[in-house]
Amino acid sequence: MTARIERVVTEGVVDVDGVEHKVENNTWIVGDDEEVIVIDPARDAEAILEKVGEREVLAVVCTHGLPDHVGAAIEVAARDEAVIALHPKDRPLWRLTWSETWPDIEMEDEGLFGVADVQLEVLSTPGVSQGGVSLYCEALDVVFSGKTLQADGPGKVGGEYPALADQLTAIGGRLFTLPHRTRVLPAHGEESTIGDLEPQFDAWLSGSLTRGTVEEKEGPLTDGTRAAGIRINLNDE
């Protein structure tokens, strides 16, 4: 059977100085009527497993270790005794959520995951986190970009770029070399395509992302890491 892609949008409420903010995360499911891989299982394991239904979960793949994206990883994997995969450089982030467990698989650049009739290739795309990855599926013309690249540009943590130079290098060298028709499916927000985003790259390189920073307006957050008070030390081992 031909593989297909499904999205589960999960929500969480975080409290910032007494004000509640709604945060939305994308969890992606790739597979057919028999088996699936779950990518970035955020927050609500029940909602994710409801979408999976009776299909077997082969693996839970985390594009990064930030807490609001791995919060359902253990429960989703446990139902079918699936393996959990994470890049080893994001193990310190994983420990912010899961203090007594480790992922089963340490992902490496150009590693492969198979599900149904397709393969997902691991692309190392650090920047937002030291061990950030994207997953490219040539057969489906799609890249699961995690927090590396979103429809509005490079992803942030708490409204900031932890390592923008590394992130832009990864975007230019790994993602913008993909075919322009490739769909970009991020960890937050709506999808885009490589062809839509690539023309903005020169402006990003010239400083448009950090020039004239505007104070954020109050309201719903699309990235819960600021509200959760998360800080990343990219020198963590």
Side-chain angles (χ1 to χ4, degrees):
M1 295 183 181
T2 302
R4 63 183 183 273
I5 300 167
E6 297 162 276
R7 179 172 74 154
V8 179
V9 180
T10 55
E11 299 180 353
V13 176
V14 292
D15 186 286
V16 184
D17 297 327
V19 179
E20 291 187 340
H21 299 265
K22 182 177 71 174
V23 180
E24 295 185 347
N25 302 70
N26 294 330
T27 294
W28 300 99
I29 299 171
V30 185
D32 57 16
D33 290 340
E34 303 294 331
E35 59 187 28
V36 299
I37 285 177
V38 177
I39 300 171
D40 293 338
R43 303 180 183 282
D44 190 341
E46 183 177 352
I48 295 168
L49 289 173
E50 181 178 358
K51 176 68 74 171
V52 170
E54 297 182 359
R55 295 174 290 177
E56 180 182 3
V57 179
L58 300 182
V60 169
V61 182
C62 304
T63 63
H64 56 286
L66 288 165
D68 59 323
H69 299 268
V70 302
I74 297 295
E75 188 173 349
V76 170
R79 193 196 71 173
D80 296 324
E81 298 183 349
V83 296
I84 299 174
L86 179 76
H87 193 284
K89 289 185 178 180
D90 266 17
R91 285 162 66 97
L93 289 177
W94 172 268
R95 281 302 219 198
L96 294 176
T97 304
W98 303 108
S99 62
E100 298 180 359
T101 65
W102 291 112
D104 305 288
I105 295 175
E106 294 186 349
M107 283 191 288
E108 296 181 356
D109 191 39
E110 300 183 354
L112 296 173
F113 292 92
V115 61
D117 53 354
V118 301
Q119 289 188 322
L120 307 178
E121 180 184 0
V122 178
L123 306 179
S124 179
T125 53
V128 170
S129 70
Q130 196 175 34
V133 305
S134 299
L135 301 169
Y136 175 53
C137 182
E138 182 178 9
L140 296 177
D141 285 329
V142 64
V143 62
F144 300 93
S145 58
K147 289 182 71 69
T148 301
L149 183 63
Q150 301 177 170
D152 59 354
K156 301 178 182 180
V157 175
E160 301 176 354
Y161 300 102
L164 184 57
D166 292 341
Q167 190 173 355
L168 291 177
T169 296
I171 291 171
R174 305 308 301 275
L175 300 184
F176 285 167
T177 60
L178 300 176
H180 278 197
R181 65 178 179 274
T182 305
R183 296 165 62 198
V184 177
L185 305 186
H188 292 288
E190 299 303 316
E191 70 175 82
S192 186
T193 67
I194 294 296
D196 289 336
L197 295 170
E198 194 274 337
Q200 304 174 54
F201 189 58
D202 286 345
W204 299 342
L205 288 176
S206 66
S208 66
L209 296 170
T210 55
R211 186 184 305 122
T213 303
V214 178
E215 184 177 352
E216 294 184 8
K217 297 180 180 179
E218 291 189 5
L221 302 176
T222 58
D223 181 345
T225 53
R226 177 170 65 83
I230 296 167
R231 296 291 183 269
I232 296 178
N233 181 353
L234 291 176
N235 293 318
D236 283 343
E237 296 295 338

